[in-house]
Amino acid sequence: MNLEMALTEEMLAIAESVRPKYCCLVPEKREELTTEGGLDVFSQLHNITDSCARLKDAGIRVSLFIDADEKQINAAVESSAPCIEIHTGHYADAIDDSQKNLELNKIIKSVEYASNAGLKVHAGHGLSYTNVMDIAAIPEILELNIGHSIISRAVLSGLPEAVGEMKRLINSSVFSKP
């Protein structure tokens, strides 16, 4: 189980009780329908560092959902989180090729930076059948988190076909990596 959770005392207690294999800390607010950006690790470093240690002590692997930003990556390293998930929503929401390429280049640069800093790197948010291949082709990304797009497709085609189609797209990108 991968528990995506807000950084609250209530959620930390639930994680310690349930003990999922993974927890991803996200900047969730009650009024949001979905997460709109990454966690601000830099400004909450003390709290995040304590929470990472607490979850690690419970045997839970922690990742931090952050924007493609070196300041946030450096803070993630300082927090002792072993893993980050780069927010790909700005890339997914790009309205033209120029903006898409700008966002993709920011992600590539940040993923390389984080990997070189010793972090395991995942990516997700807004990834779909039409945009996943460029992200999947980034060699340092170890995991993609894709939910909404697959479940939406599954309503029409069934879950095995929806998952299979996404896997084919990802694998065609992964195996074409340099």
Side-chain angles (χ1 to χ4, degrees):
M1 178 200 282
N2 183 357
L3 177 61
E4 186 175 292
M5 58 181 260
L7 190 59
T8 65
E9 179 56 39
E10 178 183 16
M11 289 306 301
L12 287 166
I14 290 170
E16 289 171 321
S17 172
V18 173
R19 294 186 186 261
K21 187 170 185 175
Y22 310 107
C23 280
C24 184
L25 302 179
V26 301
E28 191 173 281
K29 299 179 185 117
R30 285 189 186 274
E31 60 274 7
E32 286 181 324
L33 295 177
T34 186
T35 306
E36 300 300 329
L39 187 65
D40 186 355
V41 182
F42 181 80
S43 70
Q44 302 177 69
L45 185 58
H46 179 73
N47 190 24
I48 290 172
T49 301
D50 289 349
S51 298
C52 286
R54 193 169 153 185
L55 292 168
K56 181 180 178 184
D57 288 347
I60 302 167
R61 188 194 77 181
V62 180
S63 65
L64 306 176
F65 183 69
I66 65 172
D67 287 324
D69 178 271
E70 285 186 14
K71 182 170 93 170
Q72 296 302 329
I73 294 167
N74 290 335
V77 169
E78 194 172 338
S79 76
S80 295
C83 181
I84 59 170
E85 179 181 337
I86 296 289
H87 176 255
T88 55
H90 302 300
Y91 161 80
D93 293 338
I95 57 173
D96 59 37
D97 286 344
S98 175
Q99 184 182 7
K100 180 180 175 183
N101 288 333
L102 177 70
E103 293 299 332
L104 179 60
N105 287 329
K106 283 171 49 178
I107 291 169
I108 291 169
K109 181 181 173 189
S110 293
V111 168
E112 290 171 351
Y113 184 81
S115 182
N116 288 334
L119 292 168
K120 293 180 181 174
V121 184
H122 303 166
H125 196 81
L127 295 177
S128 70
Y129 295 88
T130 60
N131 66 16
V132 71
M133 291 180 71
D134 288 336
I135 300 297
I138 302 170
E140 297 84 0
I141 293 179
L142 303 174
E143 178 179 298
L144 296 172
N145 292 300
I146 307 166
H148 186 265
S149 187
I150 293 171
I151 297 304
S152 296
R153 177 73 54 100
V155 170
L156 300 174
S157 67
L159 196 54
E161 177 56 34
V163 170
E165 183 178 352
M166 183 60 76
K167 284 177 67 175
R168 284 188 294 279
L169 289 169
I170 292 168
N171 286 337
S172 69
S173 296
V174 170
F175 296 122
S176 66
K177 289 180 181 180

